[in-house]
């Protein structure tokens, strides 16, 4: 009886390992090209920042002559910084910006997380429609709402108060979206175990969901703080009291009163951005973890 032996093709050690070096070479090339691109992008991003720093360290008379004179000037001075810190109202601007940004961030975290918890973990009629309406809010420009907001705040007699800056910025669509996407990824078994132990909705939200959401809480808090700190349009419309002005509004008044004193303007801009730079340096890991761990990556 004849037997037929079927032989499978056998790869040699060389042919089997051949694709690996090509893939490794391709990966190294991609890494090098990406690294070069990032270095070039970083340099292009740093050039305006370095020029702004150089301008702020230049005398106002020299700065008014143009970019070439600013770059060739070799006598740096802190006169603009000293003038702003001593004569200006920048300390009041700092206080107003810190107060409004911290309160806005805290209230945004509370209400956005509660709304996201309801949309993510509760079953009720019209949930999908409500979430759709919230997402549509991303498409509405802030500039369109500034006049209705102004009239509403005027009717409530909140103009020229910190609440006029804080309240309109608490409803944050992007914060609700980020929280909901993160909550959707939390296993429901944890919630069911808490229910078995007799936990109610508030205890599940505060004792189970929120402790697991620390990365996204940090990211939303920092991003909201930065957005509120940099917001110019709303405080410009609702604040006219110099003692209540935030940093962006105060810088706008400095620019209008100083005219061609570019060094003072740049010094003020750097002083305004300095707290945000320090904030990012200390919390950059939390920002990256929170954003990559939320729905922004999907």
């Amino acid at each position: 009886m004849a037997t037929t032996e079927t032989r499978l093709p056998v790869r040699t050690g060389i042919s089997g390992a051949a694709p690996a070096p090509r893939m490794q070479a391709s990966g190294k090339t991609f890494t090098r090209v990406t690294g070069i691109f990032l270095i070039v992008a970083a340099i292009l991003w740093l050039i305006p920042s370095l020029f702004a720093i150089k301008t702020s360290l230049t005398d106002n008379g020299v700065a008014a002559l143009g970019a070439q004179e600013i770059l060739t000037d070799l006598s740096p001075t802190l006169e603009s910084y000293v003038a702003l810190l001593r004569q200006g109202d920048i300390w009041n601007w700092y206080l107003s910006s810190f107060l409004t940004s911290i309160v806005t961030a805290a209230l945004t975290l509370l209400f956005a997380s509660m709304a996201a918890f309801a949309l993510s973990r509760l079953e009720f009629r019209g949930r999908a429609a409500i979430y759709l309406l919230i997402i549509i809010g991303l498409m509405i420009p802030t500039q369109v709402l500034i006049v209705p907001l102004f009239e509403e705040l005027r009717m409530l007699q909140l103009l020229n108060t910190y609440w006029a800056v804080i309240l309109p910025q608490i409803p944050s669509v992007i914060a609700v979206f980020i929280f909901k996407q993160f909550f959707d990824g939390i296993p429901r078994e944890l919630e069911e175990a808490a229910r078995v132990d007799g936990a109610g909705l508030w205890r599940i939200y505060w004792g189970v969901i929120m402790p697991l959401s620390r990365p996204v809480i940090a990211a939303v808090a920092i991003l909201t703080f930065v957005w509120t700190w940099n917001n110019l349009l709303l405080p410009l419309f609702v604040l006219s009291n110099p003692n209540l002005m935030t940093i962006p509004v105060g810088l706008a008044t400095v620019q209008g009163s100083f005219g061609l004193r570019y060094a003072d303007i740049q010094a003020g801009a750097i002083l305004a951005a300095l707290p945000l730079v320090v904030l990012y340096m200390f919390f950059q890991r939390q920002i990256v973890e929170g954003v990559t761990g939320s729905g922004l990556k999907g």
Side-chain angles (χ1 to χ4, degrees), residues 79-101:
E79 180 182 353
S80 297
Y81 290 97
V82 173
L84 284 175
L85 294 175
R86 286 184 177 178
Q87 302 174 8
D89 295 324
I90 194 168
W91 298 113
N92 289 333
W93 304 340
Y94 268 131
L95 178 62
S96 298
S97 292
F98 271 115
L99 180 61
T100 56
S101 299

Side-chain angles (χ1 to χ4, degrees), residues 19-35:
R22 289 198 295 267
M23 293 177 63
Q24 292 178 0
S26 175
K28 290 181 179 179
T29 302
F30 177 78
T31 302
R32 291 172 182 172
V33 173
T34 304

Side-chain angles (χ1 to χ4, degrees), residues 146-147 150 159-160 232-240 249:
I146 193 64
V147 174
F150 180 85
L159 295 178
N160 271 322
L232 168 65
L233 186 62
L234 178 64
L236 184 64
F237 272 85
V238 301
L239 297 178
S240 59
V249 180

